[in-house]
Amino acid sequence: MTKVQKFFAYLILIIASLLSVFPLYYMIAGATNKSVDFMRGRMTLGTYLIENYKSLISQQNLGRAMFNSFRNALILTAISMLVCSLAGYAFEVYHDKGKDILMTVLLIAMMLPFVAIMIPLFKMFSTWHMVNNYWAFILPSISTPFLIMMFRQAARSFPTDIIEASRIDGLSELGIFFRMFVPTMKSTYGAAITVTFMNAWNNYMWPKIIFQGDNQTTMPMLVANLLGAYTVDYGMLMLGVLICTLPTAIIFFFLQKSFTNGIVGAVK
């Protein structure tokens, strides 16, 4: 690559980076300014952050919403990692034609939009008297075809010699999974944790349907509540969006290397 080509390549990357970072900066700037200044298009940082925060906590139960979102996302992520990794491992290690058919059915299920199963799900959990229960949010998502497929692909790169040697040494099947498979799939788990946590944290539609009390409000629901019917305090709204964005940004920042390696199927 010539110097001219490198110059234009770096120039394009810099422009793309600035375009990607600008919405985040604009959100931070909006959170530190008055609503009227935000509406006027002010791009610089202001001094109204504390006032916006006081307005936010006076109108919404921010602590409860953060607790609910963290509880739901962490429990869902932990259970999903166990269930989906076991399923993906079993699909590959104990392979047969029947499991291929079942995997095909699961992949077809990925094509169904959530709105197609939303009403049957709500009726089912209503029958079980689980409306406004956080388990009604967790149970439908603990096993997803995407995560099962991801762990199945990772299991394909897992050496079968290790499995056979472990069996000869007398290690149980669960022991092979937890003591041999799991430690070598850190990158896959990192990618799966990132995707699952972000999806659980940002989920709005299903919690809005199944949670019918203020004590179960999540952060996306809190942000939606800031959109008033007649007037909107954009400074407070941008602060709410910023607070809602920070946990997923932090998770991705710490797991970005594992996320990249896990997506491409690296085994570490």
Side-chain angles (χ1 to χ4, degrees):
M1 183 180 290
T2 63
K3 292 183 177 181
V4 176
Q5 290 175 328
K6 285 185 177 181
F7 171 79
F8 282 105
Y10 280 111
L11 180 63
I12 293 174
L13 291 174
I14 291 172
I15 294 174
S17 300
L18 292 176
L19 291 175
S20 300
V21 173
F22 177 75
L24 178 62
Y25 171 78
Y26 192 52
M27 179 172 59
I28 296 174
T32 61
N33 283 289
K34 296 181 180 180
S35 179
V36 62
D37 293 329
F38 180 84
M39 291 296 295
R40 290 172 179 171
R42 182 175 178 177
M43 297 290 183
T44 57
L45 298 177
T47 59
Y48 212 69
L49 178 63
I50 302 300
E51 287 75 8
N52 287 332
Y53 179 75
K54 290 179 179 179
S55 299
L56 177 61
I57 61 176
S58 66
Q59 296 186 25
Q60 302 291 332
N61 193 340
L62 179 62
R64 170 57 64 176
M66 289 289 287
F67 172 79
N68 290 337
S69 290
F70 271 113
R71 178 198 60 197
N72 297 342
L74 291 175
I75 294 177
L76 175 59
T77 301
I79 298 177
S80 293
M81 293 305 100
L82 177 62
V83 173
C84 294
S85 60
L86 276 170
Y89 175 82
F91 268 113
E92 184 59 30
V93 174
Y94 311 109
H95 182 266
D96 58 45
K97 292 184 179 179
K99 291 186 178 65
D100 286 340
I101 296 173
L102 180 58
M103 191 66 200
T104 302
V105 174
L106 290 175
L107 294 178
I108 293 174
M110 292 178 61
M111 303 178 188
L112 290 175
F114 178 75
V115 293
I117 61 174
M118 182 173 58
I119 296 176
L121 271 179
F122 180 77
K123 293 185 67 175
M124 181 175 66
F125 284 107
S126 297
T127 304
W128 294 347
H129 304 288
M130 294 183 66
V131 174
N132 208 36
N133 187 311
Y134 68 90
W135 283 106
F137 168 79
I138 294 171
L139 289 176
S141 304
I142 59 175
S143 177
T144 62
F146 174 75
L147 289 182
I148 293 174
M149 180 181 65
M150 179 186 294
F151 281 107
R152 186 189 184 189
Q153 292 299 116
R156 288 183 174 178
S157 63
F158 187 64
T160 56
D161 294 341
I162 294 179
I163 299 176
E164 296 299 331
S166 300
R167 288 171 178 168
I168 293 173
D169 290 339
L171 198 61
S172 65
E173 296 300 319
L174 285 177
I176 296 172
F177 174 79
F178 285 108
R179 297 177 62 179
M180 299 296 177
F181 178 78
V182 173
T184 61
M185 297 295 166
K186 293 180 180 179
S187 297
T188 304
Y189 277 97
I193 288 172
T194 304
V195 172
T196 305
F197 184 88
M198 293 177 67
N199 288 338
W201 182 273
N202 294 324
N203 196 345
Y204 172 76
M205 182 178 293
W206 180 237
K208 185 66 174 177
I209 295 170
I210 203 67
F211 295 149
Q212 299 181 356
D214 293 337
N215 61 327
Q216 294 290 355
T217 299
T218 62
M219 283 304 299
M221 295 167 63
L222 180 144
V223 172
N225 292 339
L226 297 177
L227 296 171
Y230 301 103
T231 59
V232 178
D233 188 335
Y234 286 101
M236 183 176 62
L237 176 62
M238 289 297 103
L239 179 59
V241 174
L242 178 62
I243 295 174
C244 185
T245 304
L246 286 177
T248 54
I250 293 172
I251 289 291
F252 184 79
F253 177 78
F254 283 104
L255 296 178
Q256 58 180 325
K257 185 176 181 180
S258 296
F259 177 81
T260 304
N261 293 334
I263 290 296
V264 300
V267 178
K268 294 288 180 74

